[in-house]
């Protein structure tokens, strides 16, 4: 085959491909082509750019095929043991449970709270709408804060707000105070929901993150099932205020 100049060589560099092809009628098999790089008098400047000039069947012989492959960056989770991974997945799953527990645990107590406050049940149901409003506002705030100050401090601050809001709900003396406390509780609960997923993205590879999100979803799906059931039993035994003390 003809010798053609290398596009990346600066001197007398050439690319020589020797191939013995099968001759007609003799059934002779061809030899494997060989790739020889000569840089003449100067040093070889074989770079990944030469891959565009290599013949596709010979790419396996090209040094660029070994040196130009993209390397997957290491993540902190690569050094974790199996027990540590399970611990983190369980922790992140529990952080996402604060929001559904805050929504569903006190639902059986709405008529009881309305009777104690001598208010229509529609006024007590406003506390549920206030909780969703707090979720919307909190998620818009906690994301930028976590990017600015890291994940640890916003999670701690969110848990503190959740505790304060739950205690305020337990001590509420009227519908308005209950609505304010529910707003604070929602702002704190959304920190766990948002930042648990952000921590998974920070610690694990994208290929592992999808599986971990599915495992966290299994933990999250349990809380809406059992929260009203537990809340109904606690309402009968200890009263509606104990539902919020339990969350605190």
């Amino acid at each position: 085959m003809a010798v053609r100049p290398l596009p990346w060589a600066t001197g007398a560099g050439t690319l020589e491909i020797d191939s013995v092809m099968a001759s007609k009628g003799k059934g002779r098999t061809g030899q494997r082509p060989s790739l020889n790089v000569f840089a003449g008098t100067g040093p070889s400047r074989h770079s990944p750019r030469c891959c565009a000039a290599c013949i596709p069947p010979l790419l396996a012989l090209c040094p660029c095929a070994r040196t130009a492959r993209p390397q997957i960056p290491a993540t902190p989770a690569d050094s974790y043991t199996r027990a540590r991974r399970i611990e983190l997945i369980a922790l992140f799953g529990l952080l996402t449970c604060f929001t559904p527990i805050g929504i569903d645990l006190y639902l059986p107590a709405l008529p009881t709270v309305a009777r104690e406050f001598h208010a229509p049940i529609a006024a007590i149901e406003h506390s549920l709408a206030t909780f969703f409003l707090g979720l919307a506002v909190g998620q818009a705030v906690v994301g930028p804060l976590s990017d600015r100050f890291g994940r640890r401090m916003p999670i701690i601050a969110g848990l503190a707000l959740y505790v304060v809001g739950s205690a305020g709900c337990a001590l509420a003396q009227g519908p308005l105070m209950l609505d304010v406390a529910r707003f604070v509780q929602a702002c704190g609960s959304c920190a766990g929901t948002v930042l648990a997923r952000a921590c998974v993205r920070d610690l694990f590879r994208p290929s592992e993150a999808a599986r971990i999100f599915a495992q966290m979803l299994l933990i999250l799906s349990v809380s809406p099932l059992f929260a009203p059931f537990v809340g109904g039993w606690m309402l009968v035994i200890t009263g509606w205020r104990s539902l919020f003390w339990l969350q605190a």
Side-chain angles (χ1 to χ4, degrees), residues 9-203:
T10 58
T14 57
L15 177 65
E16 181 184 31
I17 304 176
D18 300 324
S19 176
V20 179
M21 306 302 294
S23 58
K24 293 184 179 181
K26 295 183 180 180
R28 184 181 176 186
T29 59
Q31 297 178 358
R32 185 178 180 181
S34 61
L35 178 66
N36 299 322
V37 177
F38 299 95
T41 57
S44 176
R45 296 188 179 182
H46 200 239
S47 65
R49 291 179 298 174
C50 78
C51 287
C54 293
I55 300 176
L58 300 180
L59 281 178
L61 302 177
C62 179
C64 298
R66 299 188 300 270
T67 59
R69 293 177 182 175
Q71 299 295 328
I72 300 177
T75 59
D78 293 340
S79 60
Y80 292 163
T81 62
R82 180 178 179 84
R84 178 59 174 169
R85 286 171 177 263
I86 295 176
E87 178 185 353
L88 287 176
I89 294 172
L91 176 61
F92 295 151
L94 291 176
L95 286 175
T96 59
C97 291
F98 284 101
T99 297
I101 289 177
I103 294 173
D104 299 323
L105 187 64
Y106 91 118
L107 291 181
L110 290 179
T112 304
V113 176
R115 286 194 301 267
E116 182 171 334
F117 289 163
H118 303 286
I121 192 171
I124 307 302
E125 290 175 347
H126 289 167
S127 63
L128 185 60
T130 306
F131 189 90
F132 286 111
L133 178 62
L135 284 178
V137 174
Q139 291 182 50
V141 174
V142 72
L145 287 179
S146 66
D147 293 336
R148 174 64 178 83
F149 300 102
R151 312 299 188 197
R152 179 183 177 87
M153 292 306 300
I155 288 178
I156 295 176
L159 294 178
L161 281 178
Y162 187 83
V163 172
V164 171
S166 300
C169 292
L171 299 173
Q173 300 300 320
L176 181 59
M177 185 177 178
L178 181 63
D179 292 344
V180 173
R182 288 285 289 172
F183 182 85
V184 175
Q185 185 188 30
C187 291
S189 67
C190 70
T193 304
V194 173
L195 298 183
R197 292 174 171 84
C199 290
V200 172
R201 185 196 63 183
D202 295 340
L203 297 177

